[in-house]
Amino acid sequence: LLVPFRERFEELLAFVPYMHRFLSKKRIRHHIFILNQVDHFRFNRASLINVGFLESGNDTDYIAMHDVDLLPLNEHLDYSFPEAGPFHVASPELHPLYHYKTYVGGILLLTKQHYELCNGMSNRFWGWGREDDEFYRRIKGAGLQVRRPSGITTGYETFQHLHDPAWRKRDQKRIAAQKQEQFKVDREGGLNNVRYRIESRTELSVAGAPCTVLNILLDCDTDETPWCTFG
């Protein structure tokens, strides 16, 4: 599990033990990586997932891109090896908020081979949103088909969404050229050019559930993406 993260510790305290129990009950071997962005740039979910992929080691054969504020409530949800192609666990028919047909955010499983085939995610998305819409285009461009759960009858009650927008505001500002850039496909960047440094790597136990916290310093070319800062 690759979990992009910044300053949401109360959600982390709920997420790690819950997902460890959920996956252990399903007998799925797993390792939870908390990808903690500790630089002073705006939040970059996609770059954090790229870093997590590169740092996750050779003993894993697939990844789950997993939001920290989304907990699966239905034990019939499939988290197994997505051999046939990307498997979108948090499908539009089940996600409590996002219901458009090209949505692939929230929880998405991919083999490592398929993630590399897409060259990972674009590093150009600073601030909240749109990076998963661009990744959908990468998936299609790589000739892959997104699969989704079937036979799940719990509808929009399939997940618990921990996010409270009343007290945790998302960084949804669009600055200067970012307004036009957010709808473009990034044909150059991704896994091949993510720039970062690991400040520290810590093995933690949260209520008995193990995880690895990577404190990540992302780097930004302010000529290329000046919207990575507010200043």
Side-chain angles (χ1 to χ4, degrees):
L1 273 68
L2 303 182
V3 187
F5 182 79
R6 180 182 257 176
E7 297 174 348
R8 298 168 77 158
F9 287 100
E10 65 288 338
E11 293 171 10
L12 183 66
L13 292 175
F15 178 87
V16 172
Y18 184 92
M19 288 308 302
H20 179 62
R21 288 194 304 270
F22 184 88
L23 294 174
S24 296
K25 188 175 180 181
K26 295 174 75 66
R27 297 187 178 180
I28 293 178
R29 293 177 59 202
H30 59 278
H31 194 110
I32 300 173
F33 288 90
I34 306 302
L35 312 172
N36 185 31
Q37 185 177 341
V38 295
D39 54 70
H40 297 295
F41 296 115
R42 298 172 71 193
F43 189 64
N44 192 322
R45 176 177 178 269
S47 287
L48 292 174
I49 292 171
N50 284 339
V51 173
F53 180 91
L54 293 170
E55 296 289 332
S56 60
N58 296 323
D59 59 342
T60 56
D61 52 6
Y62 69 111
I63 64 169
M65 301 152 56
H66 210 302
D67 287 356
V68 72
D69 60 6
L70 205 59
L71 301 182
L73 301 177
N74 190 321
E75 63 183 23
H76 297 295
L77 286 168
D78 188 3
Y79 273 75
S80 62
F81 185 72
E83 185 173 4
F87 187 74
H88 188 213
V89 179
S91 71
E93 297 81 15
L94 305 176
H95 194 286
L97 293 181
Y98 305 115
H99 307 143
Y100 57 96
K101 65 180 181 180
T102 59
Y103 177 66
V104 289
I107 309 166
L108 182 66
L109 313 183
L110 295 99
T111 68
K112 286 198 154 183
Q113 181 184 13
H114 287 158
Y115 194 75
E116 288 176 334
L117 194 63
C118 297
N119 190 23
M121 302 185 79
S122 172
N123 300 303
R124 297 178 67 83
F125 290 84
W126 301 88
W128 184 82
R130 297 289 182 194
E131 78 289 328
D132 48 356
D133 295 333
E134 200 271 353
F135 190 59
Y136 176 81
R137 296 185 186 180
R138 288 179 177 235
I139 290 171
K140 303 301 279 186
L144 300 172
Q145 292 294 322
V146 177
R147 297 179 308 113
R148 293 191 162 106
S150 60
I152 302 294
T153 59
T154 42
Y156 298 150
E157 305 298 318
T158 302
F159 300 96
Q160 180 182 0
H161 194 234
L162 299 176
H163 185 83
D164 183 355
W167 58 271
R168 189 179 293 284
K169 302 294 184 186
R170 283 177 166 144
D171 171 13
Q172 293 178 282
K173 290 185 175 66
R174 297 290 181 259
I175 300 168
Q178 186 180 14
K179 293 177 182 177
Q180 288 74 46
E181 285 276 337
Q182 64 182 337
F183 297 106
K184 292 182 180 177
V185 178
D186 177 6
R187 303 192 187 281
E188 304 296 327
L191 269 180
N192 62 320
N193 70 346
V194 62
R195 294 162 47 177
Y196 72 98
R197 181 163 60 87
I198 300 297
E199 184 182 69
S200 63
R201 184 184 188 109
T202 306
E203 306 300 326
L204 280 186
S205 177
V206 182
C211 68
T212 299
V213 178
L214 298 178
N215 283 337
I216 299 166
L217 290 156
L218 296 177
D219 193 13
C220 169
D221 182 341
T222 52
D223 291 329
E224 187 69 22
T225 54
W227 52 87
C228 63
T229 69
F230 287 117

